[in-house]
Amino acid sequence: MGNSYAGQLKSARFEEALHNSIEASLRCSSVVPRPIFSQLYLDPDQPPFLPDDVKPKVEELDKELVHRYTQNGSLDFSNNQTVNEMEDEEEDEDMSDSSSPPIPYSQKPAPEGSCTTDGFCQAGKDLRLVSLCMEQIDIPAGFLLVGAKSPNLPEHILVCAVDKRFLPDDHGKNALLGFSGNCIGCGERGFRYFTEFSNHINLKLTTQPKKQKHLKYYLVRSSQGVLSKGPLICWKECRSRQSSAASHSAKPNSSVSPSTTPESGRANGYKSGFTQTGRASMSSSGPPKKRHRGWSPGSPVPPPGLVVPVPTIRPLTRTEPLLSVPVPQSMLTGILQPQPIPAGETVIVPENLLNNSGIRPVILIGYGTLPYFYGNVGDIVVSPLLVNCYKIPQLENKDLDLLGLTGAQLLSVENMILLTIQYLVRLGPDQIPLREEFEQIMLKAVQEFTLRERSLQMSGQCISVSPGQLPWLARLITSVSRDLVHVVVTQNSLAEGISETLRSLNEMKHQQRLPDYVVAICASKNRGNEFCVVVLGQYQSRALAESMLTTSEFLKEISYELITGKVSFLASHFKNTSLGDDLDKLLEKMQQQRGDNVVIPFKGDVNECVSSQEAAAMVSTQDSDLNIDTFQIYQPQLTVARKLLSQVCAIADSGSQSLDLGHFSKVDFIIVVPRSEVLVQQTLQRIRQSGVLIDLGLEENGTAYQRAEKYVVRLDNEIQTKFEVFMRRVKQNPYTLFVLVHDNAHVDLTSAISSSLSHGEPSHGLADRVINCREVTEAFNLLVLQVSSFPYALQTQQSRISSNNEVHWIQFDSMEEMGSEEKLYFGLNEYSKSLQWGITSPLLRCDENFEKMVNTLLERYPRLHSMVIRCYLLIQQYSEALMALTTMASLRDHSTPETLSIMDDLITSPGKNRNGCGHMLIIRVPSVQLAMLARERLQEVRDKLGLQYRFEILLGNPASEFTVAKHFVTRLKAWRGNEQEDWVPRTYQDLEGLPCIVILTGKDTLGETFPRSLKYCDLRLIDSSYLTRTALEQEVGLACCYVSKEAIRGSIVALDLSEREHEKTNISENDADELLIDLERPQSNSSAVTGTSGSIAENGVSSSSAADKSQKQPASLNLQNVTVSSVDEGTYPRFTAGETLKQECDSLGNQMASSTTSKLSSSSVTRTFRWPSQSVKECKALHAALPRIVILSKAAYCLLGSQKSGHLPSSSSLLPHADVTWLSSLRPLLPKDMNGEEQSLYYRQWTTARQHHADYNNQGETAGSRSFHPRRLLLTGPPQVGKTGSYLQFLRILFRMLIRLLEVDVYDEEEINTSNSEITQSSNDHWPDIEIFSKITFDLSVHDTKYGSMSPVYTEQLSRVKQEANKETKVEEPRKRETVSMMLTKYSAYNTFHHCEQCHQYMDINPAAQMTDSTLHAFTFSSSMLGEEVQLHFIIPKSKESHFVFSKQGKHLESMRLPLVSDKNLNVVKSPIFTPSSGRHEHGLLNLYHAMEGISHLHLLVVKEYEMPLYRKYWPNHIMLVLPGMFNNAGVGAARFLIKELSYHNLELERNRLEELGVKRQCVWPFIVVMDDSCVLWNIHSVQEQSSPSMEPGSTSKNVSLKSVLQHIEATPKIVHYAILGIQKWNSKLNSRGSKPPFSRCHVHDFILLNVDLTQNVQYDLNRYFCEDVDFNLRTNSSGLLICRFNNFSLMKKHIQVGGQKDFAIKPKIMVSESMAPIMPLQYVCAPDSEHTLLAAPAQFLLEKFLQHATYKLFPKAIHNFKNPVLAIDCYLNIGPEVAICYVSSRPHSINVNCEGVFFSGLLLYLCDSFVGADLLKKFKFLKGATLCVICQDRSSLRQTIVRLELEDEWQFRLRDEFQTANSIDDKPLYFLTGRHI
């Protein structure tokens, strides 16, 4: 069988199969061998595939395509030659070493006891080359040493000796079938079968052993005698057009540059830099194996997971511009060792390829290794566009679950090839492959594959495509492509297919049609399938090549073409008009004809001429209708500003200590904007108009206008110095909160490092230097607010902004939500949706005629960038349109209808307006050089046609201010009417109403706002170079604006009505024809139009109304109410509203001048809804703002208008920004109507910053360790939505809030019941004189306003007051108390929200110590009042233990230390301060650090047991006194009672302790301070002497500390003789009041010094919820003790809305239903044992509430009758403000009010004790019919009391007059009995 198997392939293949089959049957012990034919044709082998190789993505694939088409069309495009036909397929050789499903091949088990280790033979001898390279190996003559590869040891080569007759010669021929070899390990010889030999050397193969597959290399000895790997064994003929000499040339072609630059190896990474569009890789020895996981260890090339293996070569000399150098620098560092390259792996690019074919082919890297390119490499481009789609990324399990995949299902190469072909077949002729679109297709395929695999697992079927079937299927798919996609299949390498394609392209005849795409597949046996795509389509190849350049790169490319004069051919082409005349000569001729006359500036037709002097002198009047937008903050802006503010508060509250708002009292700011002069001026204007500088107190009113400039900085080279000044201000003003606003934050994201390395534009990286510098990130008083319409590049995995700190603009889902807002935002979404409105003049348009012209020119000038060609064509279009509309009507047919209608509108609208107002047109030309050219050219044409006074042409260059001609400035000033002499327009908004063309240039649009008169945006130059979401959307963002509600409403209605109404409406024949033509026909310029412009539809305005005196200029964008009545009745009598609406929408754009439209337009029907130039006299026109009309290039239109078709991906699925890259090609699709937050999270998960991005370095090892800047926020919102106004408002409300944080609402209530009391002491005395003071009588009246609705205390003065009996019943709602806002001072008490450096030790717990730093101590004492022992708990922090005495052993708490009366320490307050608090753990003012001036003091919080954990959490450094659990529901009386009892007990303990130390008992300090948790500020009032008799004496007050107040009171002489000392409550009238005694003997509340020694026998009523202090004061006074109020001090109490002594919510004990009626106070009591609803509230609380409201029932005689008060013995209870209470103490020797001659109207006995006896009661006289109320703890004591007091003698009782509080028996109700005096 010694024939060669290179020649007759088929027979050789058959023989080989036969041979293998025989061999297998001989060796096979068990399995029936496979028949030869199944082996040949039904090979099920599925090529394996590795995770690194593939990458999927969107769109439903046509899975059935394969089955649907069976015919195989002709697939060649060059001379019908057959391209390497199918028989090249070799059946088994494309299995890779790591083969997937193994062939069912049974190996013989190794003999017993033999070695089975990989790399050793069965005799146990080492065969690895590394071990044997130095050995001398004897081999028989005729044998060669060769290297075998074991799949288990990929890095090792096993050495074998093989008879060279069985190996091929140099040409891959003449190898005998069969095998003969020896083992060089153990020396065994004569192996006749390779199978046997492979068993012996332990190759352990899963597939059938073959020498062709496993014997890889010749082994050769080097000069040093080292055995090493030599050339590959050439098992196949190397078929190639190159000579074999070239394939073994020692060094690569001279065009290869061996020294290359290092670069980051990221998956699809491009660095910015236009030298790169692919990657070069050189394999170390021969081609790398197919689908290998890694390169061999010696290879200098990184593994393919990191790098796109694009072996294109960069020429050394740069003769061509950028586009022709698509060939990148290689990835390698150092010098490459020259390696032999087999001829089959190189492609020589034919000379003059671009010149001959007019096409620069783009090679899309597919799967496998691309060949090397030599020769004319400038004429091809290698693009890595889709390469990442074929590499399956490593995803985490959660991501896989999200995508519906399991770890293993990946697509085979064959499937990827078929998907690619199918995708290319489906692309339209004007589409280019998009990576994002293909990724979704791949994703769907993988998902479907997963599902099918799961379903087929049971049946075990195989669903893969075999390599043999691939070419058939590929050709089958392309058969439906109308010859636009071809497939070329080769055997040896991709180089063959590519060479073949390039050769055919070069030799192509001109009339031949090229396919758009050629898919080259290499079905190599060695490497498996590889493929790439060669793009030959004229449009596609150019668009792909151009889309590979970044914006900066293509702008450089354009300027290079312009500078080097490459455009001269193109320029000469455009020297002539479309009719062939010389343009310049024509214009000269027209200028001569015109002479000195020019077209009339306004108020006249284009044909009317006046002399230029007259034109210059024409003046406009002031225009009252001109809509000059004044700065105003609208509701959505307010809402967003509040969202920003609440986010700032969230940062402050987050506990990260990164922002302390309480620290700041001022707000300052700086706004950083990109380089745009107009944007700077616009921002300045907003700052000035908003008045924010004055509101923040930064500037004075007069200077604010000039000083505004220092607050706006643009990112240019001067920023460094300005910014340093700003940062100095930040450092010098620690109490000012600075806000750095970075507007348009997406514009320059280059990192400072990369821009300095790459010598990019000088402005690059400035933003990074400023915003991300260390000073900014570390300044604790600086907030950074980044503002962007396109924030996607700031939302990557490396983002510096936490997603929580993003604030997104509010979205209105419907017009209803907008409420009263007149205008609606019309943004990108609305533009896309408007395509579905079905109107003939859509807002988004594509100029098809223009695109056709462009395509023709693109073919003619293949070397120029398409933008240059588009720009030249656009200039010609506008020039010719101008000529056509003024002088040369013959040119009309050569302008596209779009251009013609725009220009017509622009030059006719000023003519119809008495003031010359018109529209603005923006032409967007990104290249500055092209823009200057366009402006120059258009100005020249305009001037020569005499239109220079009609409209202006401006160059909008961000780098400089724009200039407007003098006569236009005069006109603008006249319209405005009130501008200064030197006023010039500085922003585009200043051009409101000016008819003009703005040629807007610059790399990006920078957020400039345009006037309402902007009507057209021409974006025809924005094409496939703008394939990122940001780039595309920011261009269309120019047109976004607010529009009148009606504009959208009308359009939406039209969409609904137009179809139905057409069917219903009955229209006369002619009218119907005319209308329908207008509604349905596309715009065409083929109609016969007469030479004058009058016959054109003048924007649909009736000529009759042109002379109308009530005209409005177009800037006002009038709009009539859309009703049938607005249609002129006479014209179309039967014309319905539906038609009108349809008409209105259509007239939004101008109809082309066709005979029908011009006829129709003169009717008033089309007058209603448009960009009008006039209003109709009868209807009062509304000022309507309408959406702008946008003309797009085809590429942009397809992406933005895709929502309409639903096929293409919309712009939102594109790569978000050029500076970021997708993290993975397997990712979910961005859902359609995602809101800002969801989009942000999506981009944060799936995009990552490129190396030159400023955020690139912000990545930790794990996602969690990324550093977010804690004080950085991001405000996002669509373009032109009002973000500037919003952040200026935010600054304002931030300042207000800081001021608010420094303010406090305090009660401001004048005292009640005031009477002129006697002045007994000089007002200059600091302390009361006890001798004088004790003679003053106690003022029983309560003066505190909070007791205004309580029962007055009876005095003799009160009995003289006549009270009107107003019969109004009292309203239940508590009245609103008066408050006033005060600034906090350095002496205020604070709640938990205050943080500052001084008091943080006082407030915060040491984090290391945690809660365990406090100790809990029980303290027990007996209370005579309670009649039992009370156990209180103290929680004492370690730092406060010095205030207590502990027992020596066991740390038992013994007492709280008290000072001595005689102590005189200025830095100490002697009295312990007790603050009872409930429900105010956060809001209670318990931080007394500042109020006490930081001195040491003893402060105890008194809290209920159940609230203790909360208080302990918020106030860990405070001593807590925890009340027993039985008092959890008790009122404030209980807390005060226990404080007093404890203090007295402690006083006794301290007296005993100090007595042992020799201190007298009376020397121990007996006072405590009891103060509320709402005391905030203390004041001192000093009396001023009268300066003149007429002036009222007054006093001044100043704020003082609590420390100084207490020290002053504690210094009172003979203080121990006073029972209670207090101060008055502040109110705003205190200072203006006349003279007041410095000390009063009256009630004190809220803040008292209590002498616990003197008041030992006077107790607080522990049951009380209300008025416990009045009750206590009355008891103290009746005991003869002194109560003194210092009137020269006052206390401010804060109005706190939560907690405190608030009412219980009274609910039934057993809830019957949720929605019960509220329970009235009269239901709080019931008859004993009745079926009444029992309530879940304490009995005492119910009683007190009942008494307040039951006056009319209980004491009818006492109402409004202060002469006859109710007698209350030993208690003061509130029984309503209509009744006076006479308090009498039953104690012997007590001091009581004089009751002689008083007849009481009632008697109140409350829990009376044994001091109250029958004799006492007999002393008092009662009115006849007076009422009695006796209250006792239970029924038995009630009966006993009645008997003991002999009440039945004088009072009459009835059985039904007994009541109880509505409690259950368990809750111990109180009982009371009422009776009448007999």
Side-chain angles (χ1 to χ4, degrees), residues 1527-1555:
F1527 293 105
N1528 273 350
N1529 275 334
V1532 67
R1536 291 180 185 272
F1537 168 78
L1538 287 166
I1539 290 169
K1540 190 170 162 300
E1541 285 282 271
L1542 167 80
S1543 303
Y1544 180 73
H1545 184 71
N1546 183 65
L1547 177 65
E1548 288 297 303
L1549 291 170
E1550 278 291 279
R1551 282 174 167 173
N1552 296 341
R1553 181 177 74 82
L1554 291 167
E1555 205 171 24

Side-chain angles (χ1 to χ4, degrees), residues 876-911:
Q876 190 205 31
Q877 281 287 304
Y878 278 114
S879 307
E880 292 191 356
L882 273 175
M883 293 163 71
L885 291 163
T886 49
T887 49
M888 283 191 66
S890 53
L891 277 174
R892 248 168 224 264
D893 287 355
H894 296 277
S895 284
T896 68
E898 285 300 346
T899 319
L900 205 57
S901 71
I902 292 172
M903 285 319 286
D904 178 32
D905 197 10
L906 187 74
I907 61 178
T908 53
S909 57

Side-chain angles (χ1 to χ4, degrees), residues 823-884:
K823 296 200 168 67
L824 289 175
Y825 178 69
F826 201 86
L828 289 161
N829 288 342
E830 287 72 20
Y831 271 106
S832 284
K833 285 175 190 156
S834 72
L835 290 169
Q836 300 163 24
W837 286 0
I839 51 181
T840 27
S841 308
L843 300 173
L844 275 189
R845 308 177 182 178
C846 170
D847 190 346
E848 297 283 359
N849 299 351
F850 182 79
E851 295 296 321
K852 283 177 194 152
M853 295 179 192
V854 169
N855 287 339
T856 316
L857 288 166
L858 289 178
E859 285 179 33
R860 200 177 302 173
Y861 302 102
R863 288 183 184 274
L864 292 177
H865 194 284
S866 63
M867 189 173 281
V868 177
I869 294 169
R870 280 174 172 274
C871 187
Y872 268 90
L873 178 61
L874 200 62
I875 295 169
Q876 190 205 31
Q877 281 287 304
Y878 278 114
S879 307
E880 292 191 356
L882 273 175
M883 293 163 71

Side-chain angles (χ1 to χ4, degrees), residues 463-726:
I463 55 169
S464 62
V465 177
S466 75
Q469 296 163 333
L470 176 67
W472 297 93
L473 288 173
R475 289 181 180 154
L476 183 64
I477 294 170
T478 56
S479 63
V480 295
S481 71
R482 301 192 303 287
D483 249 9
L484 293 180
V485 184
H486 284 190
V487 175
V488 174
V489 182
T490 58
Q491 298 283 231
N492 289 346
S493 74
L494 280 177
E496 291 181 47
I498 296 171
S499 299
E500 189 63 54
T501 307
L502 296 181
R503 188 174 57 73
S504 314
L505 174 64
N506 202 32
E507 296 165 2
M508 180 194 70
K509 306 281 186 297
H510 271 296
Q511 66 278 18
Q512 262 181 315
R513 181 157 172 236
L514 280 172
D516 288 341
Y517 307 97
V518 175
V519 182
I521 301 173
C522 167
S524 149
K525 296 197 183 68
N526 292 351
R527 293 195 302 247
N529 289 323
E530 299 179 330
F531 75 102
C532 67
V533 179
V534 185
V535 184
L536 301 179
Q538 176 79 47
Y539 167 73
Q540 289 86 346
S541 57
R542 183 192 280 270
L544 281 170
E546 288 177 359
S547 68
M548 288 167 67
L549 300 177
T550 65
T551 317
S552 311
E553 286 164 17
F554 84 68
L555 292 177
K556 281 181 187 157
E557 159 70 15
I558 288 172
S559 67
Y560 175 80
E561 287 175 14
L562 290 166
I563 292 161
T564 55
K566 295 193 135 221
V567 295
S568 50
F569 298 115
L570 186 65
S572 59
H573 170 84
F574 283 115
K575 278 218 166 52
N576 297 338
T577 64
S578 306
L579 297 172
D581 308 314
D582 185 307
L583 190 62
D584 293 336
K585 284 182 185 159
L586 258 178
L587 289 167
E588 291 294 336
K589 195 168 109 195
M590 289 170 189
Q591 194 175 15
Q592 283 162 13
Q593 281 171 1
R594 204 169 35 78
D596 188 32
N597 287 353
V598 293
V599 173
I600 189 165
F602 50 91
K603 271 203 299 198
D605 195 71
V606 194
N607 298 333
E608 292 179 45
C609 288
V610 292
S611 72
S612 51
Q613 292 81 8
E614 200 181 327
M618 274 181 79
V619 281
S620 329
T621 52
Q622 182 176 352
D623 205 322
S624 55
D625 300 320
L626 192 64
N627 263 3
I628 294 162
D629 286 322
T630 46
F631 187 82
Q632 211 177 331
I633 300 285
Y634 292 95
Q635 191 52 50
Q637 290 172 302
L638 284 173
T639 311
V640 172
R642 284 190 202 115
K643 282 176 75 176
L644 277 168
L645 183 67
S646 64
Q647 198 44 56
V648 170
C649 296
I651 295 172
D653 294 343
S654 64
S656 61
Q657 302 294 309
S658 46
L659 186 64
D660 172 13
L661 289 176
H663 188 84
F664 307 113
S665 55
K666 201 168 176 195
V667 172
D668 198 342
F669 68 96
I670 190 169
I671 299 173
V672 176
V673 296
R675 287 182 65 181
S676 159
E677 195 50 49
V678 172
L679 187 59
V680 170
Q681 293 300 333
Q682 180 180 304
T683 311
L684 280 173
Q685 216 169 20
R686 304 269 168 87
I687 290 175
R688 285 165 180 155
Q689 290 170 341
S690 68
V692 68
L693 293 175
I694 297 157
D695 290 351
L696 298 185
L698 297 173
E699 301 294 343
E700 291 304 311
N701 215 334
T703 56
Y705 191 89
Q706 286 77 31
R707 302 295 299 277
E709 293 183 7
K710 77 175 200 197
Y711 295 92
V712 182
V713 183
R714 61 175 177 179
L715 286 160
D716 57 16
N717 300 328
E718 293 166 28
I719 190 168
Q720 213 54 46
T721 51
K722 289 181 181 172
F723 195 68
E724 279 164 13
V725 173
F726 172 71

Side-chain angles (χ1 to χ4, degrees), residues 1089-1104:
V1089 177
T1090 52
T1092 60
S1093 61
S1095 63
I1096 295 176
E1098 295 169 345
N1099 196 14
V1101 175
S1102 68
S1103 42
S1104 61

Side-chain angles (χ1 to χ4, degrees), residues 1578-1597:
W1578 291 263
N1579 298 294
I1580 185 166
H1581 301 268
S1582 53
V1583 178
Q1584 289 173 313
E1585 294 303 317
Q1586 278 177 267
S1587 53
S1588 72
S1590 61
M1591 275 184 64
E1592 280 288 304
S1595 64
T1596 54
S1597 68

